[in-house]
Amino acid sequence: MSEPETAKAGTRADEGASLGARIMRRLDELAQYSSEPGALTRLYLSPEHKAATVQVAAWMRDAGMTTELDAAASVVGRYEGAESGMPALLLGSHIDTVRNAGRYDGNFGVVAAIEAVAAFHSRGERLPFAIEVIAFGDEEGVRFPVTLTGARAVAGILDLAALDAEDADGVSVREALRRFGCDPFALPHIARRRKDVFGYVEMHIEQGPVLEAENLPVGVVSAINGASRFAAEVEGVAGHAGTVPMRLRHDAVAAMSEMVLAVERTALETPDLVATVGWVEASPGAVNVIPAHARFTIDLRSPDDRVRKAAAERLARDLQAVAARRGVGLALRAGYDAPALTCAPALADALERSVARLGIRPLRLSSGAGHDGLAIGALCPVGMLFVRCEGGISHNPREAVTEADADVATRILLDFLRTFDPHRAPSAAAVTP
Ligand code: GLV
Ligand code: MN
Ligand code: MN
């Protein structure tokens, strides 16, 4: 199939063809803020995250926005509407990354939204609403066993108990926020009031193969899968690798291995469920010692919350049965839990009209990945536009987006913003926190 024709509607002539090029350049620049030379790792509240917030705020100011770092370490840039103080349409995504990440996950949505505002600013164009671009900092949930801290705080659904969660070095979210220069006591005050926002619209790479298979640069998101995460700890008995007979062992790693396969089997046997053990650790960690302890994480996702909850309960029972049979202890701690979110039909329809105006066949697809919108959906209607990524590869340094796709996606966002009628904005989606 050939590449679809893309018209220039939604973009003024002087916006030219350089939007995509600027976005790609800035994404390359942002990728330098990393804790690992030659790779991109930027965890929530790390020094690299701090440096990235400074860069992003500078770009926002260049684009005519006022900026602040909020109490959850999100950078918020505000571009006033025709009159100052108008309610805002929120745009954004996240600038934290997984370990050894690609440079587009999250960062693309932030940089592209800033470019869209820059296009308005360069023409002195004001809309009948304010725009706020938010660069959230905790979408990946890699450093702490909690996630969406920034988005939850903005949505007013942050459980302050999350601040006690600790990273692998025993640093709590509360302490890390303080070190970052944020005031954890101010967190309740950054919750937005429903009447101050019209909605939240995020552009994000698809992180899957559908758009590529459909030969489409973009797609409109219909829903975001819900997710549950657990931390598991297996307690066995250390012993001499040469002297303890096999049948008398309480090997924590052997037990964990059986549990990992039970996680995989649960997902294989359950329609609409995916499950991942993404991190494991064993100790004491010597070639001649039977492992006494093992720890691992579990991530469950489904578009159907009932499927996810039932699978989590079934899995907990199965893992305890493995532990009992092998004579080891098992502690399972629930962490992040986010219900699935249906995107607001009115925003999806409006995004789809913009897609069509740019000469592209509209396609709706659901998101298997989590996004800041999962939390923001508790505050206001959420709309998302996905951008094709090469091979559907993400959470991987090979993640790739083309300049042409970045360009067309941002033109669609511009068209959407220019035609968005705040007085016909949808009411808040019925979402449970
Ligand atoms: C974030 O990328 C997630 O879905 O885990
Ligand atoms: Mn993301
Ligand atoms: Mn991600």
Side-chain angles (χ1 to χ4, degrees):
M1 269 191 287
S2 63
E3 191 64 26
E5 266 287 292
T6 60
K8 296 289 186 232
T11 315
R12 304 284 150 86
D14 59 347
E15 279 156 9
S18 58
L19 274 172
R22 271 205 308 274
I23 288 167
M24 300 305 265
R25 251 196 328 272
R26 284 189 164 175
L27 286 166
D28 291 346
E29 216 176 313
L30 202 49
Q32 305 309 310
Y33 298 104
S34 168
S35 61
E36 289 181 84
L40 173 54
T41 297
R42 192 189 309 134
L43 304 190
Y44 183 44
L45 303 177
S46 61
E48 304 71 41
H49 176 207
K50 178 85 189 204
T53 63
V54 173
Q55 178 62 80
V56 165
W59 286 335
M60 286 174 169
R61 283 191 293 275
D62 282 351
M65 291 181 257
T66 53
T67 62
E68 65 162 326
L69 185 72
D70 78 12
S74 302
V75 193
V76 182
R78 183 175 166 94
Y79 185 71
E80 292 294 348
E83 290 159 29
S84 114
M86 292 176 123
L89 185 68
L90 308 181
L91 306 179
S93 195
H94 60 98
I95 57 170
D96 64 320
T97 73
V98 294
R99 296 183 204 281
N100 200 17
R103 57 187 56 184
Y104 304 98
D105 178 0
N107 297 290
F108 174 80
V110 172
V111 168
I114 295 172
E115 277 304 328
V117 174
F120 295 133
H121 177 58
S122 68
R123 302 170 46 84
E125 200 174 338
R126 297 281 168 183
L127 301 171
F129 52 91
I131 294 175
E132 291 194 18
V133 179
I134 309 184
F136 293 108
D138 179 33
E139 191 262 7
E140 300 290 6
V142 171
R143 177 171 175 188
F144 300 98
V146 290
T147 192
L148 300 179
T149 305
R152 284 178 193 269
V154 164
I157 56 164
L158 179 66
D159 178 357
L160 293 179
L163 301 183
D164 295 325
E166 292 180 353
D167 69 7
D169 298 322
V171 179
S172 67
V173 176
R174 181 180 291 101
E175 180 54 27
L177 279 169
R178 280 203 199 100
R179 292 182 194 171
F180 203 85
C182 297
D183 175 8
F185 288 109
L187 278 166
H189 307 304
I190 64 173
R192 303 305 177 92
R193 293 177 302 184
R194 175 68 186 93
K195 68 184 179 60
D196 293 336
V197 295
F198 288 120
Y200 171 73
V201 175
E202 174 168 350
M203 292 211 294
H204 200 285
I205 60 166
E206 182 202 343
Q207 306 180 276
V210 176
L211 293 174
E212 193 170 75
E214 294 278 345
N215 194 29
L216 288 171
V218 295
V220 174
V221 178
S222 51
I224 309 174
N225 284 1
S228 307
R229 290 182 182 168
F230 302 87
E233 208 160 339
V234 182
E235 175 111 28
V237 180
H240 196 294
T243 63
V244 183
M246 293 309 288
R247 299 215 175 280
L248 299 182
R249 296 184 179 203
H250 302 281
D251 181 327
V253 165
M256 172 175 72
S257 306
E258 197 176 332
M259 293 175 192
V260 171
L261 292 178
V263 171
E264 184 188 43
R265 194 177 56 247
T266 298
L268 286 170
E269 291 173 354
T270 311
D272 281 341
L273 184 82
V274 290
T276 306
V277 173
W279 178 87
V280 299
E281 185 188 75
S283 63
V287 67
N288 58 351
V289 181
I290 300 165
H293 303 281
R295 296 197 291 154
F296 62 101
T297 57
I298 304 170
D299 178 302
L300 298 179
R301 318 243 183 156
S302 175
D304 184 330
D305 290 335
R306 284 166 310 182
V307 167
R308 179 171 50 86
K309 296 275 182 208
E313 284 167 21
R314 205 167 57 248
L315 184 58
R317 283 195 301 274
D318 290 353
L319 299 189
Q320 289 296 354
V322 172
R325 183 160 38 75
R326 287 179 166 271
V328 298
L330 171 66
L332 256 187
R333 272 195 324 279
Y336 169 59
D337 188 275
L341 176 87
T342 303
C343 291
L347 290 177
D349 290 349
L351 283 166
E352 223 167 64
R353 286 194 294 274
S354 295
V355 169
R357 273 196 291 273
L358 273 273
I360 296 161
R361 172 169 60 90
L363 178 87
R364 287 213 189 175
L365 69 172
S366 68
S367 172
H371 298 288
D372 293 290
L374 273 179
I376 299 291
L379 167 72
C380 64
V382 170
M384 281 194 83
L385 186 74
F386 269 173
V387 183
R388 165 170 58 190
C389 61
E390 197 180 308
I393 295 169
S394 184
H395 285 185
N396 184 320
R398 284 167 53 214
E399 206 174 70
V401 167
T402 67
E403 182 181 314
D405 286 359
D407 194 83
V408 79
T410 310
R411 289 172 196 283
I412 289 165
L413 181 66
L414 280 168
D415 183 88
F416 167 82
L417 293 168
R418 284 186 172 124
T419 52
F420 178 72
D421 180 353
H423 302 297
R424 295 181 56 200
S427 55
V431 180
T432 44

